[in-house]
Amino acid sequence: MRHSPLRWLIGQWQWPYATAFAAAFLLALIPALIATAGWVLTLIYVQLPIYMLHQLEEHTDDRFRTFTNAEIGHGKEVLSRNATFFINSVGVWGIGLVAFYLAVFVNPGWGLAAMYLPFVNAFGHVGQGIVMRRYNPGLWTAAFLFLPISGGALVLVSRAVHATLAMQLTGLFTALFVHALIIIHVKRQLARP
């Protein structure tokens, strides 16, 4: 266990850097994806690597967790390293992967969750920045990647595939649900003695 991948990723907090490395390769595949799968699936696909770039800004040097524990936890650990990694791996990468596979193998409209997730996240970062009148880790990529790219892709893909209300609501509910789980986790940690 001394040299386990999880110890390296979480214990030594290397996952934001590994994520950025993976994002570079995923972004390099975009021209091939456009040529073979088309622009609709590419817009769904691109949400994962741009989210990974967001995670680099957000989690480098453990910034987001430290910020959350200081500002919301008032010094109490409301986000542990394990919880932060789990949220970002399962709640972001996992949902992005499932959404992309649903888009490819079922209907592109079922991939809208991949766009709703960063779009909803952007409002959290921007809203917090406005309320606190200061930077929060992840604010710049949320404002300059998520709002234009995820928001624009949401509109373009929805129109291109004639996304149904069920597809829209499923995507939006998925994004809201993930963020609600994070808030619930933090509140539970705050309530602990």
Side-chain angles (χ1 to χ4, degrees), residues 16-17 19-27 46-60 63 92-93 138 140-142 145-146 149:
Y17 309 104
T19 298
F21 187 72
F25 279 92
L26 292 174
L27 288 169
V46 79
Q47 303 307 310
L48 183 56
I50 68 167
Y51 214 119
M52 291 172 153
L53 294 175
H54 170 72
Q55 289 170 328
L56 178 67
E57 178 199 358
E58 194 174 39
H59 297 289
T60 295
R63 286 191 289 234
V92 174
W93 308 332
W140 301 130
T141 48
L145 287 181
F146 288 175
I149 296 173

Side-chain angles (χ1 to χ4, degrees), residues 13-150:
W13 210 248
Q14 297 298 318
W15 75 267
Y17 309 104
T19 298
F21 187 72
F25 279 92
L26 292 174
L27 288 169
L29 293 172
I30 288 175
L33 195 59
I34 291 170
T36 58
W39 67 270
V40 168
L41 290 177
T42 301
L43 286 174
I44 296 167
Y45 167 88
V46 79
Q47 303 307 310
L48 183 56
I50 68 167
Y51 214 119
M52 291 172 153
L53 294 175
H54 170 72
Q55 289 170 328
L56 178 67
E57 178 199 358
E58 194 174 39
H59 297 289
T60 295
D61 297 327
D62 208 4
R63 286 191 289 234
F64 181 79
R65 196 180 72 82
T66 303
F67 178 87
T68 302
N69 290 339
E71 296 296 324
I72 296 171
H74 304 289
K76 183 177 185 178
E77 185 177 66
V78 293
L79 273 181
S80 67
R81 285 186 164 204
N82 286 339
T84 303
F85 179 75
F86 180 80
I87 289 163
N88 282 278
S89 57
V90 175
V92 174
W93 308 332
I95 287 174
L97 183 64
V98 168
F100 183 67
Y101 271 90
L102 286 171
V104 171
F105 295 109
V106 181
N107 183 299
W110 294 113
L112 294 179
M115 288 159 278
Y116 271 113
L117 191 61
F119 195 62
V120 167
N121 185 270
F123 283 99
H125 280 284
V126 172
Q128 185 180 49
I130 291 168
V131 168
M132 296 180 81
R133 295 183 179 186
R134 61 180 277 214
Y135 172 81
N136 60 73
L139 176 62
W140 301 130
T141 48
F144 297 110
L145 287 181
F146 288 175
L147 288 177
I149 296 173
S150 302

